[in-house]
Amino acid sequence: EASNSIIGPLRMRRTFVGDVSVGSFPTDIAATDAGADVTAGIHPFLSCKGDPAGIANGDYDGVITQLLQTFPSDRQCWFTMWHEPEDNMTGAQYVAMFQHMYTVAKAANPAVLIGPIYGAYAWRASSTTTSTPDDWWVGSSYCDFMAVDSYWFTWRGATPAALQSDSYHIRWHNWASTKGKPLYVTERGVQGADSTCASVLLTDETWMKSNGYGLFMYWDATGTGGVNLIIDNNPTTASAWQQIASRGRSV
């Protein structure tokens, strides 16, 4: 509600369900935080996590089917499983999980857009996890988009880099942009002065529109370790974000 009053009206929001077992996996979108989005009439983007091996083996087929069938049919909806997976499993485990989940979820509700969400930090040049990028490619038949969560924190440098100058993001982009799928930034966070953050986001917008991105979302919350990334507390950034949203396409 706070974000809606300051940078709204919100058109969509991304919400999360933590690492859940078969017995606690949600079977109705109304039972998740995305249920509030459905009630409010905005577009939900639900991110879930669960046992990767169990999902790949089909243990969750029933609950995934039930959950996807409760998504509203009167608006575009989005779904993903295991965002930022690089620190939690191997590429082979992720691909097996995602391909099976996608097949089940799309059979349950073909209208929902589903795609992998990676973490830009894991795409830094020194990362051994992504040394072979295609280990993490789920395949063109198993995704509707490709997305990344991309941040700049002051431990990386005093002056934040826009996406086009961020080596972590660009390494992911140079790989993902060859796959022929719409590209999304599903979490963007910039630590720094209010005016600096606003400037970075406006630069991001221009570059993204020229490079095949179809969605831009900001992490309007406190980051790890209490880092302030909250737009609500930064009026210049809030104004910049309103401008970006006003120029975006409706969904």
Side-chain angles (χ1 to χ4, degrees), residues 42-55:
I42 66 177
H43 299 265
F45 191 142
L46 183 61
S47 297
C48 289
K49 289 187 176 182
D51 167 34
I55 294 169

Side-chain angles (χ1 to χ4, degrees), residues 151 153 219-231 233:
Y151 290 85
F153 297 113
W219 179 255
D220 186 29
T222 301
T224 302
V227 174
N228 177 22
L229 301 172
I230 304 177
I231 289 178
N233 295 343

Side-chain angles (χ1 to χ4, degrees), residues 73-230:
S73 59
D74 62 346
R75 73 203 76 164
Q76 185 63 66
C77 303
W78 288 262
F79 181 70
T80 196
M81 183 71 71
W82 265 109
H83 61 283
E84 302 179 25
E86 297 93 337
D87 289 335
N88 301 98
M89 64 194 80
T90 67
Q93 290 170 324
Y94 179 70
V95 169
M97 178 279 299
F98 202 93
Q99 289 182 344
H100 187 84
M101 177 279 299
Y102 182 90
T103 301
V104 173
K106 292 295 278 191
N109 194 333
V112 176
L113 296 178
I114 302 172
I117 298 179
Y118 303 93
Y121 176 74
W123 292 79
R124 63 197 186 281
S126 61
S127 172
T128 57
T129 304
T130 59
S131 57
T132 306
D134 275 347
D135 286 351
W136 297 91
W137 173 226
V138 300
S140 60
S141 298
Y142 298 97
C143 63
D144 304 313
F145 62 85
M146 296 178 71
V148 66
D149 297 339
S150 193
Y151 290 85
W152 182 276
F153 297 113
T154 53
W155 60 260
R156 296 187 60 192
T159 303
L163 293 174
Q164 68 197 70
S165 303
D166 185 337
S167 60
Y168 297 4
H169 184 90
I170 287 298
R171 182 167 179 263
W172 176 84
H173 170 85
N174 287 342
W175 169 71
S177 62
T178 67
K179 303 305 183 185
K181 295 292 181 177
L183 302 181
Y184 295 174
V185 171
T186 41
E187 290 179 29
R188 178 67 166 136
V190 180
Q191 184 183 11
D194 185 15
S195 60
T196 302
C197 179
S199 177
V200 166
L201 294 179
L202 291 169
T203 301
D204 288 346
E205 176 199 15
T206 300
W207 180 79
M208 289 169 64
K209 284 184 173 180
S210 299
N211 285 274
Y213 286 80
L215 185 64
F216 189 17
M217 306 183 80
Y218 193 84
W219 179 255
D220 186 29
T222 301
T224 302
V227 174
N228 177 22
L229 301 172
I230 304 177

